[in-house]
């Protein structure tokens, strides 16, 4: 996973750490696609994401028992989440990535039932500003609740479908 700290800007990718994360992600995608193409192997992009400010307290670093994004971690505001996904997905499609799976698409307005993993917003954060009667899906810091970012993901899915001849 890549993550970033959106300090500085209220639009675009926000802050130097976010831009570094976006650029490193694009380089990683290009290198892996080129390597796979060299050997005639398929390659997919999966398990990627960027930590959002609404989710940073729930961020769980890989192989760590300590939660929360540290101050060196890059974190994007809700308005900044779409640009990194757009940059990464545009790069992936351009270099011929065969499949793309975003790590964690967040959902709101879900009903919380006994024993479910749906969180009630008064027990958890409210990334979409919904009232406390709405529940939402689990979030380890990478859930995408931003409608702008979801639109970017949908657009990339449509492009991938067109490449494969499916609608």
């Amino acid at each position: 996973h890549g993550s970033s700290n959106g300090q500085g800007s209220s639009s675009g990718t926000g802050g130097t750490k976010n831009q570094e994360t976006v650029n490193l992600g694009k380089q990683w995608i290009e290198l892996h696609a080129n390597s796979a193409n060299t050997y005639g192997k398929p390659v997919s992009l999966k398990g990627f994401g960027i930590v959002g400010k609404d989710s940073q307290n729930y961020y769980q670093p890989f192989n760590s028992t300590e939660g929360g994004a540290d101050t060196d971690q890059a974190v994007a505001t809700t308005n900044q989440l779409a640009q990194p996904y757009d940059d990464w997905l545009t790069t992936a499609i351009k270099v011929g990535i065969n499949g793309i799976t975003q790590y964690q698409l967040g959902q709101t307005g879900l009903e919380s039932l006994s024993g479910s993993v749906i969180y009630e917003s008064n027990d958890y954060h409210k990334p979409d500003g919904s009232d406390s009667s709405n529940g939402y899906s689990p979030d380890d810091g990478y859930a995408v609740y931003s409608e702008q970012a979801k639109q970017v993901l949908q657009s990339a899915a449509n492009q991938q479908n067109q490449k494969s001849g499916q609608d």
Side-chain angles (χ1 to χ4, degrees), residues 1-2 10 25 34-35 38 46 57 67 76 80 88 95 110-111 115 121 129 135 146-148 150 155 158 163:
H1 296 290
S10 61
N34 290 339
S35 179
T38 296
K46 57 185 181 176
N57 291 335
Q80 296 166 343
W88 293 334
V95 297
L110 302 174
E111 184 179 351
S121 52
S146 161
E147 287 305 316
Q148 293 166 314
K150 286 180 180 181
S155 175
N158 293 342
K163 282 175 47 177

Side-chain angles (χ1 to χ4, degrees), residues 60-117:
Q60 187 63 48
F62 185 69
N63 285 340
S64 174
T65 58
E66 300 292 322
D70 63 33
T71 55
D72 286 341
Q73 213 55 46
V75 179
T77 66
T78 300
N79 291 335
Q80 296 166 343
L81 284 173
Q83 192 61 51
Y85 287 111
D86 189 44
D87 288 351
W88 293 334
L89 295 170
T90 298
T91 300
I93 291 167
K94 180 181 83 178
V95 297
I97 296 289
N98 304 98
I100 300 171
T101 306
Q102 193 276 334
Y103 175 65
Q104 194 175 43
L105 195 62
Q107 290 184 296
T108 60
L110 302 174
E111 184 179 351
S112 178
L113 302 173
S114 177
S116 76
V117 295

Side-chain angles (χ1 to χ4, degrees), residues 34-51:
N34 290 339
S35 179
N37 289 335
T38 296
Y39 296 101
K41 299 289 184 181
V43 63
S44 64
L45 176 63
K46 57 185 181 176
F48 64 98
I50 191 161
V51 177

